[in-house]
Amino acid sequence: ILTDGAGVIKALNAAAEKLTGVPAAQAAGRRVGDVFGGNGLDSAALETLFSGKPVSKELSAAFKERVDLRVQAAPVREGGLVTGCVLVAHDVTELKKVERMRKEFVANVSHELKTPLTAIKGNIETLLGGAVDDRAHRGEFLNSVLRQAGRLEGLVDDLLRLSSLESATVAVELSEFSPRLLAGEAHAALLPAFKGKTLSFANSIPEGLKIRADRAKLEQVFFNLLDNAFKFTPGGGCISAETEDSGDNIKFLIRDTGPGVPAKDLPRLFERFYRVDKARSRELGGTGLGLSIVKHAVELHGGSVGAESVEGRGSAFWFTLPK
Ligand code: ADP
């Protein structure tokens, strides 16, 4: 945006028209404060015109939608006089969002690490304070330390999985295999953790079906989805693995007859650390990262993920893979 020495707009380029939604023809000849007043762009220009010095500002402006801007105003000089101002704005909305997410993530990770650490410390202090000589109860404290250490380990494992899936150099090793067998293997791998729970599992993925994908990553996908279904579904329930043909994609669904998910939470389930009930998830040994690992692994294959649920009746978590 170019103004004259009095702050009257002389020109607006196509990018500025697009960003602000104001056509150049409408802005030219009007004061910068009348066209862009109230969102800070005008004050950057005026400051520069008054001081004759460049000005940088970060601001949040409401045009068609709210955008974060990094604005630089520079004076135009002719013969020592300030005869105008050039305003350059960079849209940093996406950058700000990423920065916010990063901060939130660090805060979440720290919190998740701290909870088991505090419990471990508390148990050890109790042991050192005398419980170590209490033959009848010391085992409980030690078992609690072991459980919490297991939680820390699970969290660190999931963080490493997530960071390796997110890294720019992640390798996708394609091979051809039967997804039915893979789902069966994931089911077998998680069974020992659910020894005391009676749940039926129906693997309805067709026997003849073959896919080309990264086997280890897809095993993790099946494992995480089945693990959730087994964790959240009360004993006596049914879990199934199914496929649907959806045009260019194959859709895989893991259905359960568990508690389901409230509609308002469904769109956020695949976010890191998002949990409907934090306490319940922790009690069941969850890290809150399982579904975001699923999402990353599936998206690496060019597929997508989602969940459908009727609260109180069960859920279906699905992912697609391109044919
Ligand atoms: P967690 O370690 O908590 O299982 P996930 O990322 O795997 O983390 O899942 C996030 C949340 O989604 C869970 O805490 C739970 O609230 C919800 N969820 C996932 N799977 C199911 C399911 N099969 N039934 C009901 N809720 C589920």
Side-chain angles (χ1 to χ4, degrees):
I1 303 169
L2 175 70
T3 78
D4 69 9
V8 174
I9 296 173
K10 288 169 78 175
L12 211 72
N13 73 357
E17 284 185 307
K18 192 163 162 242
L19 180 73
T20 63
V22 179
Q26 229 177 65
R30 291 170 64 200
R31 292 186 167 279
V32 66
D34 294 341
V35 183
F36 298 118
N39 56 35
L41 271 181
D42 57 334
S43 60
L46 295 178
E47 256 181 76
T48 293
L49 288 172
F50 278 125
S51 67
K53 295 200 175 97
V55 170
S56 303
K57 272 187 196 292
E58 288 222 349
L59 46 94
S60 164
F63 298 125
K64 287 164 290 177
E65 41 195 70
R66 186 155 280 283
V67 285
D68 293 305
L69 297 179
R70 193 166 288 157
V71 175
Q72 266 138 354
V76 178
R77 287 177 190 280
E78 275 168 49
L81 283 177
V82 177
T83 58
C85 165
V86 183
L87 272 175
V88 178
H90 290 275
D91 184 347
V92 291
T93 314
E94 201 54 32
L95 217 71
K96 287 266 176 192
K97 192 174 136 209
V98 171
E99 177 69 2
R100 245 188 334 267
M101 280 168 63
R102 192 190 63 79
K103 281 191 184 147
E104 247 174 59
F105 182 63
V106 172
N108 272 324
V109 170
S110 315
H111 180 74
E112 295 293 331
L113 289 172
K114 193 150 171 69
T115 317
L117 271 179
T118 309
I120 289 174
K121 213 170 145 211
N123 280 299
I124 292 180
E125 278 165 3
T126 311
L127 284 165
L128 289 174
V132 72
D133 299 319
D134 178 352
R135 288 179 144 263
H137 294 106
R138 64 184 178 197
E140 286 169 29
F141 294 112
L142 287 169
N143 272 321
S144 170
V145 170
L146 189 63
R147 231 183 7 258
Q148 299 297 339
R151 246 182 85 183
L152 278 180
E153 191 181 28
L155 186 62
V156 173
D157 284 347
D158 272 359
L159 284 169
L160 288 173
R161 278 189 199 110
L162 201 58
S163 92
S164 97
L165 285 170
E166 279 182 328
S167 90
T169 53
V170 58
V172 180
E173 287 166 26
L174 296 178
S175 64
E176 199 176 78
F177 56 86
S178 147
R180 178 188 168 85
L181 285 183
L182 195 70
E185 281 168 31
H187 171 241
L190 62 82
L191 269 188
F194 296 96
K195 268 201 304 270
K197 205 169 179 182
T198 332
L199 289 163
S200 73
F201 173 61
N203 187 347
S204 309
I205 301 176
E207 268 177 44
L209 181 67
K210 289 273 191 319
I211 54 171
R212 206 174 148 68
D214 186 314
R215 200 174 194 283
K217 291 188 180 64
L218 271 204
E219 179 164 9
Q220 188 74 53
V221 168
F222 276 118
F223 184 92
N224 286 7
L225 294 179
L226 287 171
D227 185 48
N228 279 345
F230 273 72
K231 262 187 342 202
F232 291 105
T233 308
C238 309
I239 291 153
S240 67
E242 302 165 20
T243 51
E244 275 174 16
D245 192 325
S246 57
D248 294 340
N249 298 308
I250 308 174
K251 187 170 181 178
F252 293 88
L253 300 101
I254 305 293
R255 289 187 198 279
D256 66 55
T257 56
V261 177
K264 70 170 177 32
D265 296 301
L266 277 174
R268 300 199 55 193
L269 286 186
F270 289 86
E271 289 174 22
R272 297 184 287 194
F273 292 118
Y274 192 85
R275 290 174 277 201
V276 178
D277 180 341
K278 265 204 166 130
R280 178 107 186 94
S281 154
R282 288 213 186 99
E283 189 184 296
L284 294 168
T287 62
L289 294 173
L291 289 179
S292 52
I293 291 173
V294 166
K295 182 171 191 269
H296 274 89
V298 169
E299 286 179 353
L300 267 181
H301 286 85
S304 56
V305 296
E308 287 146 25
S309 176
V310 180
E311 217 183 332
R313 302 268 293 276
S315 318
F317 283 80
W318 57 261
F319 64 94
T320 63
L321 293 178
K323 273 185 193 157

